[in-house]
Amino acid sequence: MNFDFTGTPPENVYKLLVATIGPRPVAWVTTKDTDGTVNAAPFSFFNAMSGNPPVLAFGIGGRGPGDVKDTGGNIRRTGQFVVNLCSYDLREEMNITAIDFPRGIDELKEAGLTTAPSTRIDVPRIAEAPVAFECERLVIVDVGIDRAVVLGKVLAVYVRDDCVLDAERCYIDTPKLDLIGRLHGAGWYSRVTDRFELPRIALDQWPARKAERAAK
Ligand SMILES: Cc1cc2nc3c(=O)[nH]c(=O)nc-3n(C[C@H](O)[C@H](O)[C@H](O)COP(=O)(O)O)c2cc1C
């Protein structure tokens, strides 16, 4: 079945996107308010967009015209943010930080979480999160009256010590991070416990592999 988005109500377009694009990693973004309060919120319209330079992107849907949630406003003002990643054991805390608290409320405190200073920017990371990317705003692309896509350049990354296998070679124990992703309808997530390996095929291996496939 084809769904033409012309004339499709936005809530149905959203459903079609999130029901099919997943699992989506969760960017658990910390920013600083004008009064210095640390703000935290999860965003699953998120991914890595470039390795060199290292660039992350996440999408913010607003609450009304000109308002791109506290996270967006803070990044517009300060140009800095941390993308923390969420492990399975922090799922409930992450969910608490998504509550529509009024501006100025410290979501991390509400969730019983703490912060640790970043190394390159003036916005702290979530101390309990296993990974945290310190980012500076590259550009904010306004894609609708109240929608914005934030592109951030990563200046540094924190990875919890017990998940670093070899610091010199930058080998990370990805399964141990136990990160979660968001899936289809509201309230659904996935873990990374169901993995498989699929090595890339070099061009010179292809004739033999093609013959193997034909013989199956
Ligand atoms: C797992 C999860 C993923 C979310 N992803 C997004 C998203 O991609 N974009 C968005 O605008 N809101 C998303 N939200 C909702 C925001 O987290 C929520 O509106 C939050 O209160 C915004 O906080 P802020 O106003 O402090 O920035 C998500 C919520 C959850 C629980």
Side-chain angles (χ1 to χ4, degrees), residues 86-146:
C86 182
S87 48
Y88 181 70
D89 61 332
L90 295 173
R91 64 197 181 283
E92 288 188 6
E93 286 79 359
M94 179 276 296
N95 205 23
I96 293 168
T97 65
I99 295 172
D100 212 354
F101 292 114
R103 194 177 183 83
I105 292 289
D106 185 337
E107 287 104 349
L108 294 175
K109 211 166 159 190
E110 294 294 315
L113 294 163
T114 57
T115 58
S118 288
T119 58
R120 298 279 306 275
I121 62 173
D122 186 35
V123 175
R125 62 181 172 85
I126 299 172
E128 291 80 0
V131 180
F133 298 99
E134 297 179 29
C135 301
E136 71 181 9
R137 180 193 59 219
L138 266 181
V139 65
I140 298 182
V141 184
D142 291 306
V143 292
I145 344 169
D146 62 352

Side-chain angles (χ1 to χ4, degrees), residues 26 39-46 59-63 68-72 94-95 97-101 107 147 182 189:
V26 177
N39 188 90
F43 295 88
S44 68
F45 279 173
F46 160 62
I60 308 177
R63 297 196 174 102
V68 283
K69 301 191 178 176
D70 295 341
T71 299
M94 179 276 296
N95 205 23
T97 65
I99 295 172
D100 212 354
F101 292 114
E107 287 104 349
R147 314 269 136 180
R182 205 176 191 194
Y189 294 85

